[in-house]
Amino acid sequence: MNRNGWIALTFHALFIVFILAPIVVVCVVAFTPEGFLSYPTHTWSLRWFRAIARYPEFVDAFFASLWLGLLSSAIAVTLSVPAALAIARHRFPGREAVTALFLSPLMIPHVVLGIAFLRFFTEIGLGGTFAGLVISHVVIVLPFALRLVLASAAGMDRAIENAAVSLGASGLTTFRRITLPLIAPGVASGWALAFIQSFDEVTMTVFIAAPGTTTLPVRMFLYIQDNIDPLVTSVSAAVIALTVLFLIVLDRLYGIERLLAGRAVGQDDR
């Protein structure tokens, strides 16, 4: 069995430290008792976590981002499944053009998309609405969901579907009992990546969001323009803690590896 050498292990360790260092710094600064950004050199304090309660706009923005991410990622995955199956299984005129159209938001700067959506939604009466935010986020997260679903659909063995059809299964039953479970890892991964992209999006959203539909990243961006206190770090640390807690619960109840990679052939049901 081949083992990684010390050079590879050192590189991996340094890479992990490089990735985690900003997150650790933000979480540590969140516990400072000072009124400015600093490390808590002497004492630890929950002062800025308690301060979140005095700013309900952060809580409202968090739930707005949460619902926006859930809706946009769900819609994006729902659209990605038939699109991925059509692209992976059929050869039709304009197939490459359709694929490029679905993936085109990856190539357009989000600043340009924000200005374009602002102009478009203003013309049709959706400016500053939650519906407009959902539509715009679906557009930018659809490529992420489509790429992962398409990868699962392209690698699926259609002989299993043909066997189900030959045994009398209808098209809907075949899709529900055979196709969807086979591409479920790609669907779950695509949904998760789309949700992360939607929840974290700020460049485009800042052009579209109104005071009543402000998301958490936009609220934090607007806050740090006029303030230098550690409140934003406490909000960030709270979101990180909720994310870690959610992943732990999900892993205990179902299993992250099973969700994203699927169940291995021959694995016994638990």
Side-chain angles (χ1 to χ4, degrees):
M1 175 188 244
N2 295 327
R3 295 181 178 273
N4 292 325
W6 67 270
I7 297 179
L9 293 176
T10 302
F11 173 80
H12 292 162
L14 292 176
F15 182 78
I16 293 174
V17 170
F18 177 78
I19 294 296
L20 294 180
I23 299 177
V24 174
V25 170
V26 168
C27 293
V28 171
V29 172
F31 290 93
T32 180
E34 306 295 340
F36 51 89
L37 298 175
S38 66
Y39 282 96
T41 54
H42 301 292
T43 59
W44 298 75
S45 173
L46 297 176
R47 168 189 176 184
W48 294 107
F49 288 94
R50 292 191 296 265
I52 298 177
R54 299 196 299 268
Y55 292 87
E57 58 266 25
F58 279 105
V59 179
D60 296 338
F62 169 78
F63 284 107
S65 293
L66 183 63
W67 288 118
L68 177 61
L70 291 173
L71 283 175
S72 60
S73 57
I75 295 173
V77 168
T78 302
L79 297 175
S80 296
V81 171
L85 291 176
I87 294 172
R89 295 179 174 182
H90 304 286
R91 299 294 184 267
F92 51 87
R95 176 175 175 269
E96 290 75 14
V98 171
T99 304
L101 175 64
F102 285 142
L103 300 179
S104 60
L106 293 175
M107 299 176 288
I108 303 176
H110 286 193
V111 173
V112 176
L113 286 175
I115 298 174
F117 278 126
L118 175 62
R119 176 67 177 175
F120 176 70
F121 290 148
T122 302
E123 291 292 333
I124 64 175
L126 289 179
T129 64
F130 188 76
L133 275 178
V134 173
I135 295 173
S136 60
H137 276 234
V138 169
V139 171
I140 64 171
V141 305
L142 179 63
F144 297 96
L146 178 62
R147 291 293 296 270
L148 294 175
V149 178
L150 184 58
S152 294
M156 186 181 64
D157 186 4
R158 296 201 63 186
I160 305 177
E161 290 181 313
N162 295 333
V165 173
S166 66
L167 293 174
S170 64
L172 180 60
T173 301
T174 302
F175 174 78
R176 182 172 57 88
R177 301 291 297 274
I178 304 297
T179 307
L180 191 58
L182 288 176
I183 64 174
V187 173
S189 303
W191 180 90
L193 187 58
F195 175 81
I196 293 171
Q197 292 293 328
S198 175
F199 192 91
D200 190 55
E201 171 59 34
V202 61
T203 306
M204 182 197 68
T205 309
V206 74
F207 289 93
I208 307 171
T213 58
T214 303
T215 61
L216 184 60
V218 173
R219 176 62 62 188
M220 296 171 68
F221 174 75
L222 297 176
Y223 185 84
I224 62 177
Q225 287 185 320
D226 302 319
N227 302 272
I228 58 172
D229 56 54
L231 179 61
V232 172
T233 63
S234 65
V235 174
S236 302
V239 173
I240 293 172
L242 290 175
T243 303
V244 172
L245 180 62
F246 171 76
L247 292 177
I248 293 175
V249 172
L250 179 62
D251 186 58
R252 293 293 184 181
L253 295 179
Y254 189 81
I256 296 178
E257 183 178 357
R258 181 183 176 187
L259 177 66
L260 299 181
R263 186 171 55 185
V265 176
Q267 182 179 350
D268 294 332
D269 292 334
R270 296 181 180 178

